[in-house]
Amino acid sequence: MDPIGWGEITTRILIQFTPVWIALVVTFALSLTFKRRLGLYGKLFDSTVGMIGFALVMFWVFTGLFGGGFGWIVTHDTLSQISGLKNKLPGTPVPDAEANGLYPYYLMGGDNLARDVFSRMIVGAWEVMKIAPFATIFAFMVGITLGLPAGYFGGRLDTFLSFLANLILAFPVILLFYLLVTPEIVQTGIPVYMAGVLFLFPIIFLSILFQSRFFTQPAKRNLYLSVTLVVGLWIYLGIAWNADPLGIIGFPPNLLVVFVAVVFVNSPTVFRIVRGLTMDIKTRDYVAAAQTRGEGPWYIMLWEILPNARGPLIVDFCLRIGYTTILLGTLGFFGLGLSPGSPDWGSTINEGRKLLSIYLHPAVPPAVALLSLVLGLNLLADGLREESLRD
Amino acid sequence: MGLFILRRLGVMILTALCLTFIVFTMTNLYPNMEKLAKTQGNFRMSDAEVASWLGQNGFLEPLPVKYGQWLGVWPGWTLEVEDGMRGRCVNGTVTPQVMADAPTFCGILQGDWGTSTVFRDDVGNIIATRLGLTGKLMFWVMVLMVPSALLLGVLAGMREGSRTDRTLSTFAITTTATPEYVSGVILIAVFASSAVGLRWFNGTATGAMDNATFSNFFLPVLTISLYGMGYIARMTRASMAEVMTAQYIRTARLKGVKFSDIVMKHALRNALIAPFTVIMLQIPWLLNGVVIVETLFNYKGFGWTLVQAAGNNDIELLLGVSVVSVIVVLVTQLISDIGYVYLNPRISVS
């Protein structure tokens, strides 16, 4: 068989993405129909920039989900090497494809180990999807749980926590990664202890959240608290200590290290933002009213101040997922943490760059993919900021 | 003002001590020591041999003592062995007379940064050379980045909402969304590879260390600048847009002052206060970019040294590199704080 031209490559790629197109069209049709009833999310569809950003982000979310989660879009296995396809250009036919039941072409060519670049790029989206949003949520939990009291109470607590945050922020990120993610450090168990501390914060956060609101209604409070504690501690034991009593939840150790490193780097910035917002909002009248009513400090922080700080926090959340994606790419680029042969974008770019002056096709697709996802998140954040400022 | 600077300096020194202590602890954990012993001695050492090698080289003392010695505030260790004496401040095994002449303290405060195990050279020397090379890179980055970012921001911000504004803002967002390892790869692919065929620039900057020319130095400089540029431009735009809505600008317009004069003479001065802090705070961020770009373009500067030191478990070099980078970050923070207060009389510090 002959190699196919760019026209056919494009067509075939577009056809491979069919599930994504359908999902995107359905999402947009539903959202546009009901946008008046969807609050801030619906308002997003009034701004062109926001819609473009949302489309880019959802494209990669669906691609990651369908491609990595369900295995629909990928054309070849991400690790299998087919001899004779090393560094071959896009559109090269796979030898004996029909006999082996394989897809007949390498749509974006083969990399230096004769693996399919297209499939690796698709599964790379899933690698990001598995880590970035959760790491960002955890960083937010840590930042909020510490930032609210620092901003609200001020004083020594604030000085101490701010000092700690500035300490972490003064570290060059790459140095921190090199210190945390090397095998020798992992061997000493420091990342696991850090996970043990950092992953406690979501449980603390949710417990205080329910306790401060429902302590006057013991029945409801006990229900919410016990559900949070049982489920939370179960997941906590499984993820942080790999000691799930039921043996269902586990976490690959090298993924845990990457996760911890990313949460650790992100939380001080979230802390600073939350602290600043709290200091601003606590001077408002409704906070004074709550204080006069005799509400407890945690109730005021979590149920009066936090909801009113949501606008900037949602915007920052979008930006921060993008930044986390960049950090994950950096880790991959330096070959830290993630397992060798992992299809994540950073590692693929790192492998591809070595032969960049001769072969472009292994390095450019993951680079463009990462760029478009982060750009989408930035545009989405911009759209959200614009729309939330409007009211 | 003087008290403010003094307090900031105090906090800065405390931060620097804490950070170096953390790095020191992390690099001096036992697994790292074991790896060091095996790479320096031989790979088939037994555990007992590793322990004796570490003992002979003073690595088994308590951590705070080792940190004090490294810093130069605690007397360096000495040890009597069969054929003489060994110590922190002397090389190898020496006679007691030599030992008596050697200085008691030798740490970074005395200018003794230790020896790199990878480069077989004095850490102070390595850092000085590499920092010089990175300084050259950073100088050109600043020359390219700051004026273009300010221009971009001012042009976008002077007529908020116009087509120029939207185009430039999108460009700025795109550059902030592009990490160096992505933009670098794309730039090399387009301008330096034989596959596209333009070949305007070199894909590596190794030659630029001795002899920087436009063709071998422009791509790394551009790659670092692009990432920082977008952020500064967005800050400048926001600040400019805010100034342009101020009362005195409206008065000037109603008086009939030319639009270019309003921008140049009235708005610009006030609009540039905020970007100044941002530019200073960008320097720690650029440090990250420097590490990536120097690795990507094989330019053997400070960032490249960091990667080599961390990747090869070169403890003394890694410590030296961290000290320098931490100091760079803290000093820029200090300058940006002082500069902000100085430029903006509405902020008071006491």
Side-chain angles (χ1 to χ4, degrees), chain A residues 152-153 208-209 211-213 215-216 286-305:
Chain A
Y152 187 76
F153 294 122
I208 301 177
L209 188 74
Q211 164 71 16
S212 60
R213 173 89 191 227
F215 71 99
T216 45
Y286 51 80
V287 175
Q291 281 164 341
T292 328
R293 274 205 312 270
E295 304 283 7
W298 283 100
Y299 177 86
I300 296 176
M301 280 185 246
L302 288 167
W303 293 93
E304 300 277 353
I305 294 180

Side-chain angles (χ1 to χ4, degrees), chain A residues 226-246:
Chain A
S226 51
V227 169
T228 311
L229 286 177
V230 169
V231 176
L233 286 175
W234 176 43
I235 297 177
Y236 172 74
L237 283 176
I239 291 183
W241 301 103
N242 205 7
D244 175 16
L246 302 177

Side-chain angles (χ1 to χ4, degrees), chain B residues 47-64:
Chain B
D47 286 353
E49 282 169 333
V50 167
S52 104
W53 187 91
L54 289 176
Q56 292 228 327
N57 288 287
F59 285 119
L60 288 183
E61 295 192 48
L63 191 69

Side-chain angles (χ1 to χ4, degrees), chain A residues 163 167 171-175 178 184-185 188 190 323 326 329-330 334 349 353 356-357 360 367 371 374-375 378 382, chain B residues 15 19 23 26 29 31-32 35 173 177-179 181-182 188-189 193-194 196 234 285 288 295-296 307 310 322 325:
Chain A
F163 180 74
L167 206 64
F171 242 114
V173 178
I174 291 176
L175 183 63
Y178 261 112
E184 284 77 31
I185 303 283
T188 60
I190 290 181
Y323 181 58
I326 292 180
T330 314
F334 286 106
I349 293 173
R353 78 184 166 93
L356 198 59
S357 57
L360 301 181
L371 165 62
V374 180
L375 178 64
N378 274 276
D382 230 47
Chain B
T15 316
L19 282 177
V23 178
M26 301 280 266
L29 289 168
N32 277 333
K35 195 173 161 193
I173 291 182
T178 320
Y181 52 89
V182 168
I188 295 180
S193 74
S194 52
V196 171
R234 289 176 77 178
W285 283 94
N288 258 329
T295 313
L296 187 63
V307 174
S322 348
S325 46

Side-chain angles (χ1 to χ4, degrees), chain A residues 152-177:
Chain A
Y152 187 76
F153 294 122
R156 290 247 177 88
L157 179 77
D158 180 28
T159 317
F160 175 68
L161 288 176
S162 298
F163 180 74
L164 275 189
N166 289 335
L167 206 64
I168 302 172
L169 286 175
F171 242 114
V173 178
I174 291 176
L175 183 63
L176 200 67
F177 281 160

Side-chain angles (χ1 to χ4, degrees), chain A residues 25-278:
Chain A
V25 168
V26 171
T27 316
F28 268 81
L30 284 178
S31 310
L32 283 172
T33 320
F34 298 109
K35 72 175 179 187
R36 288 289 155 252
R37 288 192 232 156
L38 291 170
L40 182 62
Y41 169 75
K43 278 200 204 118
L44 186 65
F45 290 85
D46 291 335
S47 111
T48 325
V49 171
M51 274 210 300
I52 295 173
F54 185 68
L56 277 173
V57 173
M58 288 321 282
F59 174 81
W60 285 112
V61 169
F62 288 133
T63 305
L65 196 65
F66 296 153
F70 302 157
W72 286 351
I73 304 167
V74 289
T75 52
H76 293 89
D77 183 57
T78 49
L79 289 176
S80 67
Q81 308 171 349
I82 298 178
S83 63
L85 288 176
K86 185 178 167 185
N87 291 327
K88 281 286 180 284
L89 291 177
T92 309
V94 174
D96 305 326
E98 274 174 40
N100 298 326
L102 295 172
Y103 191 81
Y105 297 99
Y106 265 13
L107 286 174
M108 288 183 180
D111 65 5
N112 62 345
L113 291 174
R115 297 169 300 195
D116 182 32
V117 173
F118 177 71
S119 308
R120 288 178 70 78
M121 181 193 76
I122 301 294
V123 181
W126 180 236
E127 297 289 317
V128 172
M129 223 58 56
K130 275 192 294 193
I131 306 179
F134 299 105
T136 316
I137 291 176
F138 272 68
F140 263 77
M141 295 275 189
V142 177
I144 289 174
T145 318
L146 295 176
L148 281 174
Y152 187 76
F153 294 122
R156 290 247 177 88
L157 179 77
D158 180 28
T159 317
F160 175 68
L161 288 176
S162 298
F163 180 74
L164 275 189
N166 289 335
L167 206 64
I168 302 172
L169 286 175
F171 242 114
V173 178
I174 291 176
L175 183 63
L176 200 67
F177 281 160
Y178 261 112
L179 287 178
L180 276 180
V181 190
T182 48
E184 284 77 31
I185 303 283
V186 175
Q187 207 184 325
T188 60
I190 290 181
V192 178
Y193 294 124
M194 284 171 62
V197 175
L198 288 176
F199 292 0
L200 265 183
F201 279 99
I203 306 179
I204 300 177
F205 174 78
L206 288 175
S207 308
I208 301 177
L209 188 74
F210 293 131
Q211 164 71 16
S212 60
R213 173 89 191 227
F214 297 114
F215 71 99
T216 45
Q217 300 150 273
K220 231 178 189 174
R221 191 255 326 247
N222 293 345
L223 175 72
Y224 286 145
L225 265 190
S226 51
V227 169
T228 311
L229 286 177
V230 169
V231 176
L233 286 175
W234 176 43
I235 297 177
Y236 172 74
L237 283 176
I239 291 183
W241 301 103
N242 205 7
D244 175 16
L246 302 177
I248 300 173
I249 297 172
F251 214 62
N254 57 353
L255 206 61
L256 181 76
V257 176
V258 171
F259 200 87
V260 169
V262 172
V263 173
F264 189 68
V265 169
N266 269 323
S267 6
T269 329
V270 181
F271 165 83
R272 290 234 288 220
I273 295 170
V274 175
R275 174 178 166 270
L277 285 169
T278 312

